[in-house]
Amino acid sequence: MQLLCHSRQTPFQHRVGARVRRAAALLLSVFCLGGAVQAQNPPPDKLLTEVGQWVQKSQQLDASQFSFAPLDSRVQLQSCDRPLVMDTPFAARETVRVRCLGNPGWQLYLRVVLKPGIAPGLAAPGAAVPAGGASGPAVAPAAGAASTRRVVVASQLLRAGSMATRDLLREIDMPAQGLDPQAVASLKDVENGEMVRDVQAGVPLRGHDVRRAVVVKQGQSVTLTVGQGNGFSITARVEAMQDGKIGDQIRLKNPESGRLLTGIVTGPNAARGL
């Protein structure tokens, strides 16, 4: 397995160099030798219950209308010293991101599986809400509020089945009156998605016009990134053991040692180590 280590020079490198080297050595031992950091692991059922309550509230669903795709058995859950924060970072809203913003910091992606005939609720993509905490009361728009909205449009004809890459999209402001309420407002909600239908240039994209696309395919080489902060990161070439969409947790293999790993798909042929 090839390891590519990148470092960023900072004004304080002479003061933190030893600490960075120690952290890098620890990461290398965990990644290359299979070590693991021990932490108190909460029961998976407790986490799923907490996330399920958030989905019911944010997407206006009953508990009987959905379930969660099974977690990979190798995923190690860690406790968090503050309430978890959850949001739906993708336009399709079928993926819930669960984050611990305390110590230790981590995030986990769960896929919501709706029962047949059930439509997704009204949760806004990217709207983060702490678990167990309700958002404040709704506030009516003030008089004279802006009469335009930021939307994402195609810069050229996008055919059904094609990839909605960033270079084929752009954000513009359009008159809010008469605009489809499902119009997507941010490129990050649809980039690298698969078009469900043809969309003409200049037409605002809606959430259901794009679905998450398979950006990692089984057998392909994937760039896996491990480590963040402290001014360095470690990347390695691994093999995908299954297809994956952005946000999916997939199995990866070190082609030299045969060791199995787990990563979160972050883009075409790219993943982040857990």
Side-chain angles (χ1 to χ4, degrees):
M1 177 174 64
Q2 297 178 341
L3 292 180
L4 309 174
C5 300
H6 307 282
S7 63
R8 295 199 302 269
Q9 301 296 324
T10 72
F12 305 100
Q13 184 176 6
H14 64 288
R15 290 158 51 183
V16 301
R19 184 179 63 184
V20 169
R21 287 193 292 271
R22 288 195 298 270
L26 175 61
L27 269 176
L28 283 170
S29 67
V30 170
F31 185 78
C32 300
L33 302 179
V37 178
Q38 298 298 320
Q40 180 181 0
N41 298 329
D45 290 345
K46 180 180 179 181
L47 175 68
L48 293 179
T49 298
E50 197 169 352
V51 179
Q53 292 171 348
W54 182 87
V55 171
Q56 291 178 59
K57 180 183 299 183
S58 64
Q59 302 205 23
Q60 301 180 6
L61 294 171
D62 185 82
S64 62
Q65 296 176 322
F66 69 95
S67 60
F68 292 106
L71 281 172
D72 191 304
S73 60
R74 290 180 295 275
V75 174
Q76 296 296 312
L77 300 177
Q78 294 181 312
S79 59
C80 186
D81 62 354
R82 65 180 64 182
L84 299 175
V85 174
M86 305 172 199
D87 64 352
T88 49
F90 308 113
R93 305 180 191 177
E94 64 185 20
T95 299
V96 176
R97 177 173 57 183
V98 185
R99 291 181 288 172
C100 173
L101 302 182
N103 184 30
W106 53 265
Q107 67 179 5
L108 173 71
Y109 291 85
L110 295 173
R111 185 164 62 87
V112 178
V113 180
L114 297 176
K115 297 297 176 64
I118 303 299
L122 302 177
V129 181
S135 57
V139 179
S147 58
T148 60
R149 276 180 53 196
R150 176 60 57 93
V151 296
V152 176
V153 300
S155 57
Q156 64 182 58
L157 172 65
L158 296 179
R159 296 287 188 183
S162 64
M163 187 79 75
T165 55
R166 180 174 283 265
D167 60 311
L168 299 178
L169 307 170
R170 58 194 178 99
E171 295 181 2
I172 64 172
D173 293 324
M174 295 187 67
Q177 185 173 5
L179 195 61
D180 193 314
Q182 298 298 318
V184 176
S186 174
L187 284 171
K188 67 179 183 180
D189 293 333
V190 292
E191 65 175 327
N192 294 322
E194 180 184 354
M195 298 300 302
V196 176
R197 68 180 186 92
D198 292 352
V199 174
Q200 298 291 333
V203 175
L205 271 68
R206 299 169 297 177
H208 53 270
D209 291 334
V210 185
R211 63 188 173 199
R212 290 195 306 153
V214 173
V215 295
V216 170
K217 293 186 178 180
Q218 182 177 357
Q220 287 185 336
S221 177
V222 174
T223 299
L224 179 68
T225 302
V226 179
Q228 58 184 358
N230 291 325
F232 70 90
S233 64
I234 301 173
T235 61
R237 296 291 184 181
V238 295
E239 179 184 346
M241 302 301 293
Q242 62 188 112
D243 293 348
K245 304 174 183 178
I246 292 180
D248 285 350
Q249 294 182 19
I250 63 171
R251 295 188 302 277
L252 305 164
K253 184 176 73 172
N254 179 339
E256 295 183 5
S257 68
R259 181 187 171 212
L260 294 178
L261 308 165
T262 301
I264 295 176
V265 179
T266 58
N269 297 323
R272 175 176 53 79
L274 293 176

